[in-house]
Amino acid sequence: MLEIRNLSKRFGGLVATNNVSITVDAGSISALIGPNGAGKTTIFAQISGFHRPDSGDIRFEGQSLLGLLPERICLLGIARTFQIVQPFAGLNVRENIAVGAHLHRASRRAALEHADAIAHRVGLGAQLDKPAAALTVAGRKRLELAKALATDPKLLLLDEVMAGLNPAEIDEIIPIIRGIRQSGVTILLIEHVMRAVMNLSDHAWVLNNGTLIASGTPSQIASNPKVIEAYLGHGAAARMQEQAGGARHA
């Protein structure tokens, strides 16, 4: 579905992404992980049209995305969330989600009806009339997810959608993300919550200093010496291996 080939991007003297190549299969949940500053969000920005690569290509369902504006890329079926959630504070939850729904629905009534349906999918059904500014961190994260989902994406890019959540909130959002995949949406996520990566991902790529250093299943990643040294550390790697064992026996 998504093919990234030899993607490179510089900001002055900083190499944000260096010759990165990944392929995301339709129907999968894949993870892009690595230390802060590794270049993960820069890749999302290039996929979604906010930054143009210096070299390389990004192809979605066979079509190159280079030079396309973000709104055109969204129309093709790619939606993303952002690390720093910024809802339309003057609108309620329903109206926030309807903004995304209007991408394919001209009528306000149709957009609001779709917003209601999406809100129930992400667990916000009881808060549709609540001002977005009054939501908790967990609520804002779900709203960010709902706004992207309302555009009817084929590919959903989730940028740290679990950051700032407590363990119980993470446990609640994992099945929501799994359900989105089951509805036919392909997911590529950036995440530091390794428990979620292990539970959700079919495949993972690891970036460090803008360079791809490893690729494989989450359990393969957890045992890779380069990944342990650059990112996980031995304790986190051991916990990931335990979680992989638990997932296999679940």
Side-chain angles (χ1 to χ4, degrees), residues 43-146:
I43 288 179
F44 271 23
Q46 291 173 90
I47 295 170
S48 53
F50 290 90
H51 292 317
R52 178 156 187 162
D54 295 327
S55 61
D57 194 13
I58 305 167
R59 303 189 74 82
F60 177 64
E61 296 186 325
Q63 177 179 344
S64 178
L65 302 181
L66 297 188
L68 298 183
L69 294 173
E71 54 265 35
R72 176 59 184 163
I73 292 172
C74 191
L75 278 167
L76 289 175
I78 299 177
R80 66 168 294 190
T81 66
F82 293 84
Q83 286 182 25
I84 301 174
V85 295
Q86 294 182 316
F88 300 104
L91 304 180
N92 64 26
V93 168
R94 177 185 286 105
E95 292 164 337
N96 263 267
I97 302 172
V99 172
H102 271 297
L103 183 71
H104 295 293
R105 293 163 184 84
S107 112
R108 177 169 174 79
R109 179 178 177 179
L112 290 172
E113 288 177 351
H114 188 58
D116 280 26
I118 295 296
H120 282 89
R121 285 182 67 183
V122 303
L124 287 175
Q127 302 185 69
L128 278 162
D129 297 314
K130 189 172 186 175
L135 291 174
T136 63
V137 170
R140 289 186 179 210
K141 289 287 186 175
R142 291 190 188 212
L143 179 57
E144 182 77 0
L145 174 59

Side-chain angles (χ1 to χ4, degrees), residues 209-228:
N209 294 323
T211 300
L212 193 66
I213 63 170
S215 171
T217 65
S219 58
Q220 289 170 336
I221 292 296
S223 61
N224 187 304
K226 290 182 180 180
V227 179
I228 293 171

Side-chain angles (χ1 to χ4, degrees), residues 15-17 33-41 207-211:
V15 180
T17 53
I33 66 174
N36 288 327
K40 304 181 299 296
T41 296
L207 282 177
N208 188 39
N209 294 323
T211 300

